[in-house]
Amino acid sequence: MIDRRALMRSGGIAAAAFGLSAAVPAAHAADAGPGAAHGHGCPGGHGQDRPPGGPIDPCDLTSGVTRVELQRNPSPAKGWLTVQTLVEIPRHKESGRHSHPGVEVGYIVRGDVLMVFDDGPAQRLRTGDPFFIPSGAIHNARNVGTVTTMMLSTYVIDETKPLVTTY
C-alpha cells in the first residue's frame, strides 16, 4: 500500500497524485561535487548526503531532481526491458550527465529544457515537445524555464544493466 501523504511530504507530489511508487533522486555527478564543477563557489560535494525530499541545496545542481518509475515490463525482444519514468527537474537545476543502456523516448509534459549532449548539438525542448535519445548517448537535461520541468520518458534497455549510468 502506498502512503500518499508521506510521499507528498517527501517531494513525490506527482507520484502521489497518480498513485505511484516513491520518488527517488535522479542521476547526478557524485565525485567532485556539481557546485565546484560549475564555478558556483560551493564546496565540493555539498548537498550530496541530502535525503530524498529534503530541502533543495542551491550548491548542488541536481538537488531536488526526482525520477519516479511508473512501470517496468519485459520488452517483446528477449533480454530487454521497457521502463517508463516521470522525471521532475526544479528551476535552475539539471539531471546531471548520464546515459542509458538503450533508447529513451520522451515527452515534455511541462517546462523548458536544454538537452545537452556530449557528442552532438544541444536541443531546446518546450512543453509538448517529444524527444529521442540514442542508446549510450551521454546527456544532461537542464531546466531553463520558470517552472519545475516534468518529463515522461520511456526506455527500452538491456535487462542486465542499470537504467542510469552517471558521469
Side-chain angles (χ1 to χ4, degrees):
M1 182 56 89
I2 297 171
D3 181 351
R4 289 188 178 96
R5 287 188 185 112
L7 187 57
M8 288 174 65
R9 283 192 303 271
S10 71
I13 295 168
F18 292 109
L20 306 168
S21 61
V24 295
H28 65 279
D31 294 42
H38 292 275
H40 290 200
C42 297
H46 186 66
Q48 295 294 317
D49 298 325
R50 180 190 58 81
I56 293 177
D57 182 342
C59 293
D60 180 352
L61 291 176
T62 62
S63 175
V65 176
T66 59
R67 178 180 287 109
V68 177
E69 188 171 299
L70 304 177
Q71 59 181 326
R72 176 179 291 253
N73 295 291
S75 174
K78 185 176 167 75
W80 293 83
L81 289 172
T82 303
V83 179
Q84 189 171 55
T85 66
L86 186 65
V87 178
E88 291 189 274
I89 305 173
R91 291 177 57 215
H92 310 299
K93 298 295 181 176
E94 58 188 53
S95 65
R97 291 176 62 244
H98 66 282
S99 66
H100 308 284
V103 298
E104 177 180 358
V105 179
Y107 178 78
I108 307 298
V109 176
R110 175 184 65 219
D112 295 296
V113 170
L114 184 63
M115 192 72 70
V116 179
F117 296 89
D118 278 13
D119 296 324
Q123 296 176 8
R124 176 72 185 256
L125 302 166
R126 294 176 173 86
T127 301
D129 286 344
F131 61 92
F132 177 85
I133 300 175
S135 180
I138 299 172
H139 58 287
N140 183 15
R142 292 183 184 151
N143 182 339
V144 293
T146 59
V147 299
T148 296
T149 292
M150 182 183 293
M151 302 184 299
L152 180 65
S153 290
T154 302
Y155 311 86
V156 179
I157 62 167
D158 179 330
E159 69 181 5
T160 66
K161 298 182 179 171
L163 176 61
V164 177
T165 300
T166 59
Y167 299 94

